Amino acid sequence: MKRLSVVAMVGLLLGCSQVQKVEVPKEKEQKIAQVGEEASMKLLKGLRMELMNAMQKGGLDEAVTVCNKKAMEITSQVEKETGYSMKRTTFKYRNPSNAPDKYEAEALKYFEESIKQGKMPSYYIQALNENGKVVYRYYKPLKVEGVCLTCHGDPNLMDKKLLEKIKTLYPNDKAVGYKEGDFRGVVRVTIPADKI
């Protein structure tokens, strides 16, 4: 019976993924920040270009369609090009697949606390040991720009038809009520340690 318990415990341990936070090596921080910034900007430029093209072609209705259908495709394409896993996340997400995990939530809280103290750091870095392999997570903060308010501002001021479409696509939408300059969330870039 004792042997069976040990075998069961080993099986459980091997079957569970283990993630632990570890120290970010100071000598690698600048390189991590450089790689993370380049990758996050590539994603943001791709998304912005696609949104602007959609708005020119079909207005706000087309822009919402891009966010709903193409944003994840663009993210996947940039991941393939860079070799890094990427995600946009926030506490006030529209798409449930963008909800933060516990480490992303820690990064979001870091930026929120910094803003309360009158600072806006340009990035945040974590090092995680994921099943024996170290990865660095680079977080780039995002602020709400004026154009974002069309779909993410005060619902009372938004176009009613547009608001209805958003509610249809995202029944549990949390991504409204922003003002220009508000902290929106982060782009997270995950970089394997062996790439730094």
Side-chain angles (χ1 to χ4, degrees), residues 4-149:
L4 183 58
S5 296
V6 171
V7 170
M9 287 293 286
V10 170
L12 280 173
L13 287 173
L14 292 175
C16 297
S17 96
Q18 301 220 341
V19 178
Q20 293 179 323
K21 201 165 171 199
V22 294
E23 202 66 33
V24 176
K26 286 286 177 208
E27 70 277 6
K28 294 187 177 185
E29 186 174 332
Q30 287 298 44
K31 182 65 176 172
I32 297 165
Q34 178 189 345
V35 170
E37 182 66 13
E38 287 171 4
S40 60
M41 287 308 295
K42 186 174 183 88
L43 174 62
L44 292 172
K45 283 178 185 174
L47 290 168
R48 186 174 285 130
M49 188 182 307
E50 194 69 37
L51 270 174
M52 298 310 274
N53 288 341
M55 287 179 79
Q56 287 174 352
K57 286 180 188 170
L60 296 174
D61 197 51
E62 188 68 25
V64 171
T65 301
V66 164
C67 286
N68 180 251
K69 296 199 172 163
K70 286 210 168 178
M72 292 298 199
E73 289 174 24
I74 294 167
T75 303
S76 293
Q77 181 61 40
V78 174
E79 286 177 326
K80 286 177 191 163
E81 291 171 14
T82 62
Y84 309 127
S85 168
M86 303 178 85
K87 179 180 174 184
R88 290 173 304 134
T89 188
T90 179
F91 288 127
K92 290 174 67 175
Y93 51 87
R94 180 159 280 169
N95 184 335
S97 65
N98 291 342
D101 67 21
K102 78 176 195 174
Y103 298 104
E104 293 161 348
E106 177 187 297
L108 290 165
K109 286 176 190 167
Y110 167 80
F111 286 110
E112 287 179 347
E113 288 303 313
S114 296
I115 291 164
K116 284 180 189 171
Q117 295 170 15
K119 300 177 242 167
M120 179 47 125
S122 56
Y123 64 85
Y124 179 71
I125 297 174
Q126 295 167 328
L128 302 176
N129 184 326
E130 296 180 346
N131 300 312
K133 291 189 177 184
V134 174
V135 297
Y136 303 120
R137 282 187 170 192
Y138 171 88
Y139 297 91
K140 177 179 181 60
L142 303 173
K143 280 188 168 185
V144 175
E145 297 175 18
V147 70
C148 304
L149 298 177

Side-chain angles (χ1 to χ4, degrees), residues 92 94 144-164 166-167 173-180 182:
K92 290 174 67 175
R94 180 159 280 169
V144 175
E145 297 175 18
V147 70
C148 304
L149 298 177
T150 308
C151 297
H152 295 284
D154 181 344
N156 297 317
L157 303 175
M158 289 170 61
D159 178 86
K160 299 302 176 208
K161 187 178 169 192
L162 177 68
L163 189 59
E164 199 53 47
I166 291 169
K167 284 183 179 181
D173 180 30
K174 300 178 181 184
V176 292
Y178 286 103
K179 296 183 204 72
E180 189 170 356
D182 282 353

